[in-house]
């Protein structure tokens, strides 16, 4: 049955709306499936390489899946106790940090009192107390929702037990899934869609896989460097800064601010703060000149501002699920936008020419 252009447009528009509604209403249970799909996508090149070496797809999938999740468990088992020790030690030293910061701020406070009136000082104290109370209430509410929400427990258990199963089956059947999807493409536009999907895959492979390696490398470097220079909680701050580098500039900037702040509270002089700053300067130079060019590449088609916007928008709308979906969606939107722009520049709407090749 032939469909008019208008009917085709309505068909795809309704399909997109239905998909968005399903994603929104099922967002509470999709996390392990999306996480499993992301892990399978990341590991598929390794499975293809093992196939070229002569292993069957099933055997390669078993080896890769078990090795991947075993490495995750070992990493948690090794790093977990170290992080726990640092957190406990940090908690015991917090009163000393507060006392140190008060002593450092006392000269500044005395200088401010000489320039401010008693009324201004009282207003500053009142405003500071209100902001501190608001921040404490917000933080307590956020942690309370994270710790007591029933969906958190369900998602955690599903990530532990369901994600490995989803990863195994998707990784094993990746070729079959892609071929089945290819068979559903409208035949008249199949080649064009394949070209756009190939461009999306190139962008995701270049950014997601490459940036994941960059984040792990930076996390290891920052954690080791901050621990070596003697920063309390250096392991936690370093790993968090490295993993946070998935959002461009966020990890390095936030890690630098937190690390130097802790160094100022921890040490009597500026030596430790300077060494912490040096670790982040070296890490930033290493990321910009070695890691990113080698692992990510220069032309990935995703501007840093677009990446930041996509990740924040996805996290705001759908939480952690939205963060996982943000980059694929951003890549799709970017590819389709460039495709539409190329079509527009090649059309008479841009050139002003009529179908006969003359300008009206």
């Amino acid at each position: 049955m032939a469909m008019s252009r208008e009917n085709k447009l309505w068909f795809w528009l309704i399909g997109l709306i239905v998909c968005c509604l399903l994603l929104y209403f099922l967002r509470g249970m999709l996390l392990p499936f999306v996480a499993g799909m992301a892990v399978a996508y990341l590991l598929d090149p390794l499975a293809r390489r093992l196939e070229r070496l002569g292993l069957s797809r099933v055997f390669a999938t078993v080896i890769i899946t078990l090795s991947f999740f075993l490495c995750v468990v070992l990493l948690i088992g090794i790093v977990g106790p170290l992080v726990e020790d640092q957190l406990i030690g940090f908690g015991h030293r917090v009163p000393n940090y507060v006392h140190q910061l008060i002593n450092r701020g006392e000269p500044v406070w005395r200088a401010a009192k000489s320039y401010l009136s008693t009324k201004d000082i009282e207003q500053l104290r009142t405003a500071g107390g209100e902001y501190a109370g608001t921040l404490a209430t917000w933080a307590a509410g956020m942690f309370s929702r994270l710790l007591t929400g029933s969906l958190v427990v369900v998602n955690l258990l599903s990530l532990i037990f369901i994600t490995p199963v989803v990863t195994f089956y998707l990784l094993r059947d990746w070729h079959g899934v892609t071929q089945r999807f290819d068979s559903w493409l409208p035949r008249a536009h199949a080649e064009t869609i394949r070209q756009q999907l190939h461009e999306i895959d190139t962008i995701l492979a270049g950014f997601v896989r490459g940036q994941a390696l960059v984040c792990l490398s930076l996390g290891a470097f920052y954690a080791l460097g901050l621990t070596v220079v003697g920063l309390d909680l250096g392991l936690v701050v370093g790993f968090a800064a490295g993993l946070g580098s998935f959002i461009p500039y966020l990890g390095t900037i936030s890690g630098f601010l937190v690390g130097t702040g802790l160094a100022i509270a921890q040490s009597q002089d500026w030596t430790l703060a300077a060494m912490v700053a040096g670790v982040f300067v070296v890490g930033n130079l290493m990321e910009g000149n070695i890691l990113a060019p080698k692992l990510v590449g220069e032309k990935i088609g995703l501007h840093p501002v677009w990446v930041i916007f996509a990740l924040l928008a996805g996290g705001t709308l759908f939480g952690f699920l939205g963060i996982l979906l943000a980059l694929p969606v951003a890549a799709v939107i970017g590819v389709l936008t460039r495709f539409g722009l190329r079509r527009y520049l090649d059309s008479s709407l841009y050139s002003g020419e009529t179908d006969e090749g003359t300008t009206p």
Side-chain angles (χ1 to χ4, degrees):
M1 182 178 64
M3 296 179 65
S4 64
R5 180 182 295 270
E6 183 179 354
N7 289 336
K8 291 179 182 178
L9 179 62
W10 277 109
F11 173 82
W12 291 113
L13 183 60
I14 293 174
L16 178 62
I17 293 174
V18 170
C19 289
C20 291
L21 289 176
L22 287 175
L23 180 65
Y24 179 78
F25 288 114
L26 299 178
R27 65 190 184 279
M29 51 82 64
L30 288 178
L31 180 58
F33 299 96
V34 175
M37 185 181 300
V39 174
Y41 176 78
L42 291 174
L43 298 179
D44 179 61
L46 184 57
R48 292 202 302 266
R49 183 170 299 179
L50 291 180
E51 279 188 291
R52 288 195 295 268
L53 294 176
L55 295 180
S56 67
R57 183 74 182 191
V58 175
F59 193 48
T61 300
V62 171
I63 294 176
I64 294 171
T65 306
L66 290 179
S67 300
F68 176 80
F69 287 102
L70 181 61
C71 290
V72 172
V73 172
L74 288 177
L75 182 63
I76 294 174
I78 294 172
V79 177
L82 298 176
V83 172
E84 182 182 6
D85 291 340
Q86 287 202 356
L87 289 174
I88 293 174
F90 177 76
H92 291 158
R93 288 187 286 269
V94 165
N96 294 331
Y97 293 159
V98 174
H99 182 70
Q100 178 73 14
L101 289 175
I102 291 175
N103 290 337
R104 282 178 173 269
E106 187 64 28
V108 178
W109 178 245
R110 287 199 301 266
K113 288 172 66 175
S114 63
Y115 291 99
L116 298 175
S117 65
T118 305
K119 182 179 179 181
D120 293 333
I121 294 174
E122 188 61 31
Q123 288 178 345
L124 286 175
R125 286 178 175 173
T126 303
E130 291 177 353
Y131 284 124
T134 302
L135 179 62
T137 302
W138 175 82
M142 182 186 68
F143 283 111
S144 176
R145 289 192 297 271
L146 287 176
L147 295 176
T148 61
S150 58
L151 281 179
V152 173
V153 178
V154 173
N155 283 334
L156 182 60
L157 293 176
S158 62
L159 280 174
I160 295 174
F161 295 106
I162 298 179
T163 300
V165 177
V166 175
T167 299
F168 172 80
Y169 282 110
L170 284 179
L171 188 59
R172 187 196 67 177
D173 301 330
W174 194 265
H175 293 321
V177 171
T178 54
Q179 290 175 0
R180 179 63 61 86
F181 179 80
D182 183 81
S183 67
W184 292 341
L185 297 178
R187 297 296 93 185
H189 307 286
E191 189 58 35
T192 302
I193 297 175
R194 290 191 193 104
Q195 292 175 358
Q196 307 314 308
L197 291 176
H198 176 73
E199 186 174 347
I200 292 170
D201 178 65
T202 301
I203 291 174
L204 289 179
F207 186 84
V208 178
R209 292 175 182 146
Q211 193 66 25
L213 293 175
V214 170
C215 291
L216 291 176
S217 302
L218 284 177
F221 174 79
Y222 286 145
L224 180 61
L226 295 179
T227 302
V228 168
V229 300
L231 180 69
D232 292 339
L233 215 65
L235 192 66
V236 177
V237 174
F239 269 121
L243 297 179
S245 297
F246 199 81
I247 302 177
Y249 311 117
L250 176 65
T252 300
I253 294 175
S254 60
F256 173 81
L257 294 176
V258 173
T260 52
L262 288 175
I264 293 172
Q266 177 182 338
S267 178
Q268 297 289 338
D269 52 34
W270 295 94
T271 304
L272 180 60
M275 289 191 295
V276 169
V279 170
F280 281 100
V281 169
V282 173
N284 189 51
L285 292 175
M286 185 173 65
E287 177 188 7
N289 296 287
I290 300 175
L291 294 177
K294 296 292 184 182
L295 299 176
V296 179
E298 298 292 339
K299 297 180 180 180
I300 56 174
L302 287 177
H303 194 276
V305 176
W306 179 232
V307 173
I308 295 172
F309 175 81
L311 290 170
L312 293 180
T316 302
L317 294 175
F318 298 102
F320 187 67
L321 174 65
I323 295 176
L324 290 179
L325 292 173
L327 287 179
V329 172
V332 170
I333 294 175
V335 169
L336 293 181
T337 300
R338 287 190 291 272
F339 174 74
L341 182 59
R342 288 194 299 267
R343 287 295 183 93
Y344 163 70
L345 294 176
D346 292 336
S347 68
S348 59
L349 184 63
Y350 171 75
S351 64
E353 295 181 354
T354 61
D355 293 339
E356 290 77 14
T358 60
T359 302

